[in-house]
């Protein structure tokens, strides 16, 4: 059985590396992109989930999410926005762009895992059992 695959879209190298490590620890395969353009250039690959920083250097995350929602192949993929911006208007923009959920930094591994599980569950998917993964 194939592990679910998450695409981590984050321009900060350290945050991208931490997210990749935590997501793999939780039982998902992880790929990454540093820009919105890089994300959209590879839109055709099989993904189960996208984590997305709304503030990217080229296209912002809102534009990337809207593009994912407008493409037939990616419109149902859960998008988890991860941001350090806690203002209500940012949360609203994330939801309006098509985000499934918003996680504000700093976050704990358990809050990230919970957000990942909820996003995947909405799509009828789950993480594989294992270190940090759930077996239920």
């Amino acid at each position: 059985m194939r592990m679910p695959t998450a695409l981590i879209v984050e321009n900060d190298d350290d945050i991208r590396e931490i997210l990749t490590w935590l997501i793999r620890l939780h039982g998902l395969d992880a790929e990454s992109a540093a820009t919105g353009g890089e994300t959209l250039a590879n839109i055709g690959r099989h993904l189960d989930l996208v984590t997305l920083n709304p503030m990217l250097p080229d296209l912002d995350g809102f534009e990337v999410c809207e593009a994912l929602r407008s493409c037939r192949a990616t419109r149902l993929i859960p998008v988890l926005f991860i941001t350090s911006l806690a203002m209500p208007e940012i949360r609203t923009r994330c939801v309006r762009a098509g985000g499934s959920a918003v996680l504000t930094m700093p976050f704990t591994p358990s809050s990230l895992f919970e957000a990942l599980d909820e996003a995947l569950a909405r799509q009828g998917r789950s993480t594989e059992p294992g270190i940090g993964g759930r077996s239920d």
Side-chain angles (χ1 to χ4, degrees), residues 1-31:
M1 183 174 188
R2 183 185 69 76
M3 286 193 320
T5 301
L7 175 63
I8 302 151
V9 185
E10 172 59 57
N11 59 300
D12 182 288
D13 293 339
D14 293 333
I15 294 171
R16 190 173 57 249
E17 187 175 321
I18 290 166
L19 283 169
T20 299
W21 182 79
L22 286 169
I23 287 171
R24 286 182 176 152
L25 179 70
H26 195 56
L28 284 81
D29 191 15
E31 299 178 14

Side-chain angles (χ1 to χ4, degrees), residues 9-135:
V9 185
E10 172 59 57
N11 59 300
D12 182 288
D13 293 339
D14 293 333
I15 294 171
R16 190 173 57 249
E17 187 175 321
I18 290 166
L19 283 169
T20 299
W21 182 79
L22 286 169
I23 287 171
R24 286 182 176 152
L25 179 70
H26 195 56
L28 284 81
D29 191 15
E31 299 178 14
S32 65
T35 67
E38 185 181 344
T39 302
L40 297 180
N42 295 302
I43 207 167
R45 41 179 204 227
H46 182 80
L47 300 171
D48 297 290
L49 177 103
V50 174
T51 68
L52 185 56
N53 178 345
M55 301 299 152
L56 296 170
D58 54 353
L59 300 171
D60 67 35
F62 308 114
E63 294 171 296
V64 173
C65 189
E66 289 167 354
L68 291 170
R69 292 293 176 247
S70 69
C71 177
R72 183 180 186 111
T74 58
R75 82 170 39 126
L76 298 177
I77 295 172
V79 175
L80 172 61
F81 277 97
I82 300 180
T83 180
S84 59
L85 305 171
M87 293 96 61
E89 54 272 14
I90 296 298
R91 286 183 150 315
T92 301
R93 282 190 71 193
C94 291
V95 172
R96 284 190 181 146
S100 306
V102 182
L103 184 62
T104 305
M105 292 188 274
F107 57 83
T108 63
S110 61
S111 65
L112 173 64
F113 297 158
E114 184 177 315
L116 293 170
D117 288 344
E118 287 175 7
L120 289 168
R122 281 189 214 115
Q123 296 301 314
R125 300 174 174 109
S126 65
T127 56
E128 291 290 313
I131 301 173
R134 295 200 173 178
S135 59

